[in-house]
């Protein structure tokens, strides 16, 4: 009999629900993708669970991640966000989120969407699942290419590792481990 264990999140109901119901499932829409890119950036150097616990506050203070609303943020908004203990108060990450909303609006102005650009980097599905995290890459050629393209289009705080984490979270790749209940359909 095969032992099953979540890829991550066992023991914390919020983390378990995120793993089981969200991670690796396709995410579409510019606001939803902007949120994931922002939160992956805020997570850099921290535990994902920390970000997950703060996600409701992030959604509130960043206008539900509506690109047009965030793109209008100014210096007063940065000061307001820096003073809000409910979120991760990192000026570079806050400013990158505002900048990335403006880059998303620029895509709209050019007749494109973040959704189209983001999903254009989805690789072909793999034939086999990873047996362990030791096998799983931190970056892929697709995440490197996505990072370069998003940076070319004005996005910040989206290096290849963050891009790959966003690809995993948004379902461009399915990195549930071979023994994960989600992968096994349980």
């Amino acid at each position: 009999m095969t032992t099953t264990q979540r890829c991550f999140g066992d023991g914390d109901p919020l983390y378990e629900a995120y793993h089981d119901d969200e991670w690796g499932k396709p995410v579409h829409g510019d606001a939803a993708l902007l949120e994931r890119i922002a939160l992956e950036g805020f997570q850099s150097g921290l535990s994902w669970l920390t970000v997950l616990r703060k996600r409701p506050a992030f959604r509130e203070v960043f206008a539900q991640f509506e690109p047009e609303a965030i793109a209008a943020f100014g210096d007063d908004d940065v000061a307001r966000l820096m003073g809000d203990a409910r979120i991760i108060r990192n000026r570079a990450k806050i400013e990158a989120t505002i900048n990335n909303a403006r880059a998303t609006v620029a895509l709209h102005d050019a007749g494109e969407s973040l959704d189209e650009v983001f999903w254009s980097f989805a690789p072909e599905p793999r034939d086999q699942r990873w047996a362990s995290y030791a096998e799983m890459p931190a970056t892929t050629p697709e995440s490197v290419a996505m990072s370069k393209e998003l940076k070319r289009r004005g996005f910040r705080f989206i290096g290849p590792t963050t891009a790959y984490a966003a690809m995993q979270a948004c379902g461009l790749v399915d990195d549930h481990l071979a023994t994960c209940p989600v992968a096994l359909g349980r």
Side-chain angles (χ1 to χ4, degrees):
M1 181 171 186
T2 303
T3 301
T4 62
Q5 183 177 9
R6 284 180 182 85
C7 306
F8 59 84
D10 280 328
D12 183 286
L14 180 64
Y15 215 10
E16 288 175 0
Y18 173 74
H19 172 272
D20 295 354
D21 302 331
E22 292 186 59
W23 192 73
K25 300 225 165 93
V27 173
H28 288 280
D30 285 6
L33 290 169
L34 181 61
E35 174 185 357
R36 297 324 189 284
I37 290 169
L39 295 181
E40 291 294 344
F42 275 101
Q43 184 273 327
S44 183
L46 302 170
S47 159
W48 178 249
L49 186 55
T50 298
V51 174
L52 196 56
R53 287 178 177 148
K54 293 178 178 283
R55 184 165 64 167
F58 273 112
R59 287 176 171 166
E60 178 188 329
V61 302
F62 279 107
Q64 304 305 313
F65 289 94
E66 288 299 329
E68 292 79 9
I70 300 170
F73 283 13
D75 292 341
D76 289 345
D77 295 292
V78 172
R80 170 182 56 84
L81 294 167
M82 286 297 295
D84 195 327
R86 298 174 303 151
I87 66 168
I88 296 161
R89 296 175 289 175
N90 179 299
R91 183 175 296 277
K93 294 174 182 182
I94 289 168
E95 289 176 346
T97 300
I98 296 166
N99 177 82
N100 292 349
R102 291 175 181 155
T104 301
V105 171
L107 286 173
H108 297 171
D109 292 345
E112 298 176 282
S113 71
L114 178 56
D115 194 291
E116 293 166 334
V117 173
F118 195 82
W119 277 90
S120 72
F121 293 95
E124 291 296 318
R126 283 186 305 283
D127 293 333
Q128 292 185 298
R129 293 189 177 277
W130 309 114
S132 71
Y133 275 111
E135 295 178 359
M136 196 180 297
T139 65
T140 62
E142 294 86 1
S143 75
V144 171
M146 177 191 281
S147 172
K148 285 181 183 177
E149 181 62 14
L150 288 174
K151 286 178 180 179
R152 185 185 75 76
R153 291 174 177 263
F155 285 76
R156 296 191 337 222
F157 231 93
I158 182 83
T161 302
T162 301
Y164 192 66
M167 292 171 77
Q168 291 172 308
C170 295
L172 276 72
V173 294
D174 180 355
D175 276 349
H176 285 283
L177 299 175
T179 58
C180 174
V182 172
L184 297 170
R186 297 183 184 158

